[in-house]
Amino acid sequence: MDKSALLALLSSVERGEITPAAGAERLANLPFEDIGHARIDHHRSLRTGLPEVIYAAGKTPAQVAEIFSRMAEAGSDVLATRVSPEAVTAIQLAVAGTVHYETARIVALRQKPAAKVVERPCIAVLCAGTSDLPVAEEAAVTAEHFGVNALRLYDVGVAGVHRLLAVREQLAQADAVIVCAGMEGALPSVVGGLVGVPVIAVPTSVGYGASFGGVTALLGMLNSCSPNVSVVNIDNGFGAAYSATLIARTARR
């Protein structure tokens, strides 16, 4: 929505042609910017509280860079996930001030003033092993971009459960917990039995042949006997962070 359209809408409310409630509803559904290969939803944060994020996989570097540039021009913070090295270069050439998180495969731009750092809300991000780091970092960086503290507790898999028990006090700080694990995917169930907050399990495509690219971990997590465990799709650290952020913000309120 540009300035003239916004002023026209506000004038209609002022003249009594539409109600304030109807005007707010219009704002919650507008606008998007049609650039041919994408329709950029600039007002998603108005509706959901969190901005649109660019999923870069499957897009050309030029497409990713153009979408990123248009979102940056609108004055918002920008986040692109699953960014290829070629797309990273294209974004950096198009937009100044971006940060590349290599392990997370994310490029981000911060334009709005950073929120005051507070202890809570807080999300704990756990992973079973170092091989799960790309997914765990995708979750952690996404949460931090959305303004939520991410407590990283890595390499705490069930093969050495004493490593997990050693961080129980840190786990107790979290309003929500994200657990990334491959192989048989047992870690979220163990974590679920230790905490009294929602646990979001992320199966990763880590493991030998019978792991079937994360399917074994996915099915194991779906069959968890810990009732506070819910599951997102394989390698979906971003989706886990999005949901955990909403949970943490609600807990904070």
Side-chain angles (χ1 to χ4, degrees), residues 13-249:
V13 173
E14 184 179 32
R15 292 191 298 268
E17 295 172 358
I18 63 173
T19 66
E25 182 66 23
R26 290 273 300 278
L27 287 172
N29 289 282
L30 292 172
F32 64 87
E33 181 183 2
D34 190 348
I35 60 172
H37 58 80
R39 298 185 181 189
I40 304 171
D41 187 355
H42 291 298
H43 271 209
R44 185 171 298 184
S45 59
L46 184 62
R47 302 191 312 275
T48 68
L50 295 175
E52 182 171 31
V53 171
I54 304 164
Y55 178 67
K59 298 179 176 68
T60 68
Q63 288 172 338
V64 176
E66 183 177 7
I67 296 169
F68 202 105
S69 297
R70 295 298 184 94
M71 294 177 69
E73 288 169 5
S76 63
D77 294 337
V78 190
L79 185 75
T81 67
R82 302 301 169 96
V83 184
S84 68
E86 295 78 13
V88 171
T89 300
I91 292 170
Q92 290 175 335
L93 288 172
V95 182
T98 61
V99 180
H100 177 212
Y101 299 89
E102 185 174 1
T103 301
R105 296 164 293 179
I106 282 175
V107 176
L109 175 68
R110 177 75 69 185
Q111 298 195 103
K112 296 180 179 178
K116 182 181 179 181
V117 176
V118 293
E119 291 185 4
R120 298 175 81 106
C122 174
I123 295 170
V125 182
L126 282 67
C127 71
T130 306
S131 297
D132 303 305
L133 276 176
V135 178
E137 274 297 292
E138 180 179 73
V141 171
T142 298
E144 289 172 336
H145 183 80
F146 288 155
V148 175
N149 290 332
L151 174 65
R152 293 166 170 81
L153 302 171
Y154 291 166
D155 197 21
V156 291
V158 296
V161 73
H162 55 289
R163 298 173 297 176
L164 175 62
L165 298 177
V167 298
R168 285 189 67 179
E169 290 188 8
Q170 292 170 276
L171 272 177
Q173 302 173 26
D175 299 302
V177 179
I178 296 171
V179 183
C180 307
M183 299 291 188
E184 83 285 18
L187 183 60
S189 291
V190 179
V191 173
L194 296 175
V195 300
V197 297
V199 174
I200 302 175
V202 188
T204 65
S205 53
V206 171
Y208 296 102
S211 71
F212 299 110
V215 173
T216 296
L218 171 64
L219 295 177
M221 293 173 180
L222 286 171
N223 284 284
S224 174
C225 63
S226 296
N228 55 338
V229 173
S230 56
V231 188
V232 297
N233 211 337
I234 298 169
D235 291 337
N236 190 10
F238 165 76
Y242 199 102
S243 294
T245 295
L246 295 175
I247 292 168
R249 286 184 171 184

